[in-house]
């Protein structure tokens, strides 16, 4: 990894993308990811290494289409068909303005200039920080990054097999060099979703690395 050092090629401009480090994805939260909170110190240390840091928040209106409670006789983790395709149903989570939607208070990444909120359309989910689940509606993140000359992304956070994986694949599709720092992510891992996510990410050229490779750079 020679992308972060002083002798990195001068044309490479990196950013750290920190995905959904919110209370509802921490143990005790509505959609808890095992050990999600243990990432906080590592992500803080990573945040200190990058000049450009972007945080995301899953940010749903009450009654969001991805909530099982919005559908009669459906349970969390069921899959349904929507006009834009298959949708996994979740417990109500990350409702706009609630405690569960807040970023973990231990997150200490003062360099972050942008907090991007996604999943705000009541009828469209958005695991990806780039493109909503209709695969059509842009969040604007590609423009933000490209206008700042950023071409290389390091993705961390929650959940590895959903929001991190979709974000990383869409980053590739938008033309970014994309690294997922595996030990700075945790997964939900339902029905083989983690294995599938790595297959899908690696197939489109996402690079799987460990945080030690960033720190030893
Ligand atoms: C996520 C499921 C539903 C995530 C968000 O952040 O990975 N997963 N909404
Ligand atoms: Zn969500």
């Amino acid at each position: 990894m020679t992308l972060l050092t002083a002798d990195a090629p001068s044309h490479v401009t990196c950013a750290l993308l920190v995905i959904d480090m919110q209370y509802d994805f921490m143990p005790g939260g509505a959609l808890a990811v095992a050990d999600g909170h243990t990432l906080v110190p590592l992500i803080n240390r990573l945040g200190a290494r990058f000049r450009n840091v972007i945080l995301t928040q899953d940010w749903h209106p009450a009654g969001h289409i991805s909530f099982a409670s919005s559908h009669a006789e459906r349970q969390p983790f069921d899959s349904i068909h929507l006009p834009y395709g298959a949708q996994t149903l979740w417990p109500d989570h990350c409702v706009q303005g609630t405690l569960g939607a807040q970023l973990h208070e231990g997150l200490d990444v003062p360099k972050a200039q942008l907090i991007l909120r996604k999943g705000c359309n009541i009828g469209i989910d958005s695991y990806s920080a780039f493109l909503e689940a209709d695969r059509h509606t842009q969040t604007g993140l590609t423009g933000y990054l490209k206008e700042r000359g950023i071409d290389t992304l390091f993705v961390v956070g929650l959940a590895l097999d959903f929001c991190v994986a979709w974000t990383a694949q869409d980053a590739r599709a938008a033309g970014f060099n994309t690294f997922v720092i595996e030990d700075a992510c945790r997964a939900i891992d339902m029905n083989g979703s983690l294995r599938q996510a790595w297959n899908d990410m690696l197939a489109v050229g996402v690079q799987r690395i460990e945080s030690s490779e960033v720190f030893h750079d």
Side-chain angles (χ1 to χ4, degrees):
M1 189 76 40
T2 56
L3 290 172
L4 299 174
T5 50
D7 50 279
S10 59
H11 58 276
V12 173
T13 304
C14 299
L16 181 70
L17 262 183
V18 179
I19 305 297
D20 297 2
M21 288 293 290
Q22 297 162 268
Y23 284 112
D24 271 342
F25 298 122
M26 306 289 165
L31 181 40
V33 182
D35 296 330
H37 64 298
T38 65
L39 301 177
V40 170
L42 175 58
I43 289 177
N44 290 345
R45 286 202 296 138
L46 285 165
R49 296 278 302 213
F50 286 81
R51 193 174 311 140
N52 301 296
V53 183
I54 296 99
L55 311 177
T56 70
Q57 274 178 302
D58 210 35
W59 197 252
H60 300 307
H64 191 253
I65 197 158
S66 76
F67 297 169
S69 63
S70 303
H71 305 270
E73 292 169 38
R74 292 293 182 172
Q75 301 301 318
F77 311 106
D78 284 355
S79 185
I80 62 165
H81 290 281
L82 292 178
Y84 60 73
Q87 173 70 52
T88 300
L89 297 178
W90 304 105
D92 291 22
H93 66 279
C94 297
V95 175
Q96 296 171 358
T98 61
L99 175 65
Q102 285 180 26
L103 294 168
H104 192 290
E105 66 179 351
L107 205 62
D108 183 16
V109 191
K111 282 195 252 173
Q113 293 183 25
L114 176 68
I115 300 177
L116 180 104
R117 290 169 166 173
K118 61 183 178 61
C120 308
N121 273 321
I122 196 161
I124 315 175
D125 204 2
S126 193
Y127 299 145
S128 167
F130 291 95
L131 206 55
E132 299 192 3
D134 62 358
R135 305 279 80 201
H136 184 74
T137 306
Q138 299 274 352
T139 66
L141 183 59
T142 303
Y144 174 87
L145 296 170
K146 291 199 169 169
E147 287 186 7
R148 288 168 168 248
I150 291 162
D151 52 28
T152 301
L153 299 176
F154 292 76
V155 190
V156 302
L158 301 170
L160 175 52
D161 41 349
F162 290 92
C163 290
V164 170
W166 283 56
T167 296
Q169 289 172 76
D170 286 348
R172 289 292 301 143
F176 296 97
N177 305 314
T178 308
F179 298 82
V180 169
I181 307 176
E182 185 171 19
D183 57 317
C185 301
R186 290 291 182 278
I188 295 172
D189 199 12
M190 52 181 269
N191 308 321
S193 57
L194 180 57
R195 186 190 169 87
Q196 184 69 51
W198 275 122
N199 286 345
D200 294 345
M201 288 192 282
L202 295 172
V204 296
V206 173
Q207 299 183 67
R208 179 180 191 166
I209 62 167
E210 297 294 318
S211 60
S212 57
E213 297 176 66
V214 174
F215 293 120
H216 289 157
D217 189 42

